[in-house]
Amino acid sequence: MKKLPPLKFKDGKFKIMVVGDLHEGYYPKEESISKKKTADTMKLLRKAMEELEPDLVVFIGDQGKADDDAGMRAVISRITAPFVSRNVPLALVFGNHDRECELPLERQLELYAQEYENFYTYDAVPELTGCGNCNILVKDSKGKNDILNLWFADSNNLCENPNVSYYDWLHEDQIEWYKKTAQQIKEEHGGKTIPALWFMHIPVCEEYELLRQAKPHEIPDAVRGYGDRSKNFYVLKDYVEGYLGEGPACSEVNSGIFDAWKEVGDVKGAFFGHDHMNDFAGYYDGILLAQNKTASFHPYTDGCRSGVRLITLDENNVEDIQTRMYHFKQFGLKSESLGPVQRTFTDRQVMKIKAASWIAGGVAVSVAAALAAKKKKEK
Ligand SMILES: [Fe+2]
């Protein structure tokens, strides 16, 4: 692994831009609509770079796929293009869809390191479940002391037994590695716990603690839960900021990582992708849980509300996490790939409009049929 300079705060601040679910490279034919979707995504990333000037970019999983080195190099060069000119440090975690190609994750990691000069993710212990589990320490503005730690974990793919859970979860060996490494870091820093952030693709089950079950009159604006929770409808609790567009699709088995964070005491905030339409953030039991909406226009998305999340930390109080989403629409950008309806409404609003028009259509057909029957009878 090449030696990179340590990450450090600049003028007292450290800004991380989290980029979710790019899903690039699925479109071998390069149809014009795919080109337009990529163009919109790049427009967003370039604008975000200009406006937000992050010190680190984190891809939060489902970056893209290709079946050979050349294809993956093309995908990587496309999705990192907005960051090359400033040579911004880049890190990532893998998502479930990054496995849907011929190239193993280990090879993808090598290619990222070859294609992007300032690439920080590494596979700390190759024997561990998953790929790219690692941590990166960040120094203060003087470059002297480590004052922040960043954890990157692979939330794996699908569960081997779909009767247990659709999605897999963080395995026991990964949690043990985290606890052991956190202890080592503490010992190396004179017994001091370094505050940390956690980045992972699939959210933890505790995200549901930020939601509450919808009252009957709220159901039209609520989302259906995922998996075991699909009989219930949810809305965000009052104190939670952001947008709930779908039921969090976490594993139905709780890995225990949230309890491990509490036990170790270093993780102050955890950041997730996977659910393309969710971008809420709120505290549960003292830890910030924050969702990243997709930054792309390729997968199922939320119209012009695709966006990036910025995390801003101050070196005088690293535990005070300032974070918010920046949406395509808020940047004043114009989409080439979306039609007028998608430009105006969220996907959920579009679904509701369609459902209402189907119901209205159904009612109209029934009324017409009833009238026709009545008329026939009267003849
Ligand atoms: Fe995704």
Side-chain angles (χ1 to χ4, degrees), residues 156-169 251 253:
N156 299 306
N157 194 5
L158 308 181
C159 179
E160 280 176 15
N161 183 351
N163 295 322
V164 173
S165 170
Y166 184 71
Y167 291 110
D168 201 352
W169 52 91
S251 170
V253 174

Side-chain angles (χ1 to χ4, degrees), residues 288-361:
L288 178 74
L289 302 177
Q291 264 303 133
N292 241 78
K293 188 167 268 190
T294 176
S296 174
F297 287 74
H298 282 294
Y300 78 90
T301 172
D302 205 8
C304 288
R305 288 154 190 86
S306 293
V308 299
R309 176 174 288 285
L310 188 73
I311 306 165
T312 307
L313 302 171
D314 189 307
E315 69 183 351
N316 294 315
N317 187 6
V318 174
E319 296 185 21
D320 178 23
I321 305 166
Q322 300 294 319
T323 183
R324 58 160 285 195
M325 288 292 298
Y326 289 82
H327 299 143
F328 186 89
K329 204 170 183 174
Q330 290 163 338
F331 279 131
L333 299 169
K334 296 235 161 16
S335 167
E336 292 168 44
S337 66
L338 298 176
V341 174
Q342 282 180 302
R343 276 184 222 148
T344 313
F345 300 103
T346 65
D347 274 14
R348 289 190 58 228
Q349 286 167 330
V350 171
M351 271 153 53
K352 273 190 208 168
I353 293 165
K354 278 184 186 165
S357 60
W358 287 331
I359 291 167

Side-chain angles (χ1 to χ4, degrees), residues 20-23 26 60-63 95-97 201 273-276 294 299-300:
D21 293 69
L22 288 170
H23 285 269
Y26 286 68
I60 199 88
D62 288 0
Q63 278 72 243
N96 46 305
H97 287 289
H201 182 64
H274 191 52
D275 297 323
H276 299 177
T294 176
Y300 78 90

Side-chain angles (χ1 to χ4, degrees), residues 139-154:
K139 292 190 180 296
D140 59 18
S141 300
K142 290 179 183 159
K144 208 174 158 200
N145 299 313
D146 296 322
I147 58 169
L148 172 70
N149 186 27
L150 306 173
W151 292 102
F152 300 87
D154 184 353

Side-chain angles (χ1 to χ4, degrees), residues 93-159:
V93 290
F94 286 117
N96 46 305
H97 287 289
D98 292 311
R99 276 116 167 140
E100 292 174 345
C101 64
E102 297 291 320
L103 278 185
L105 299 182
E106 291 74 12
R107 181 63 186 152
Q108 293 185 37
L109 210 55
E110 286 171 4
L111 294 173
Y112 272 96
Q114 288 171 19
E115 290 298 312
Y116 194 83
E117 206 186 315
N118 242 349
F119 182 68
Y120 278 75
T121 301
Y122 60 102
D123 207 15
V125 184
E127 298 74 33
L128 276 188
T129 305
C131 180
N133 300 291
C134 66
N135 80 287
I136 303 169
L137 287 160
V138 186
K139 292 190 180 296
D140 59 18
S141 300
K142 290 179 183 159
K144 208 174 158 200
N145 299 313
D146 296 322
I147 58 169
L148 172 70
N149 186 27
L150 306 173
W151 292 102
F152 300 87
D154 184 353
S155 52
N156 299 306
N157 194 5
L158 308 181
C159 179

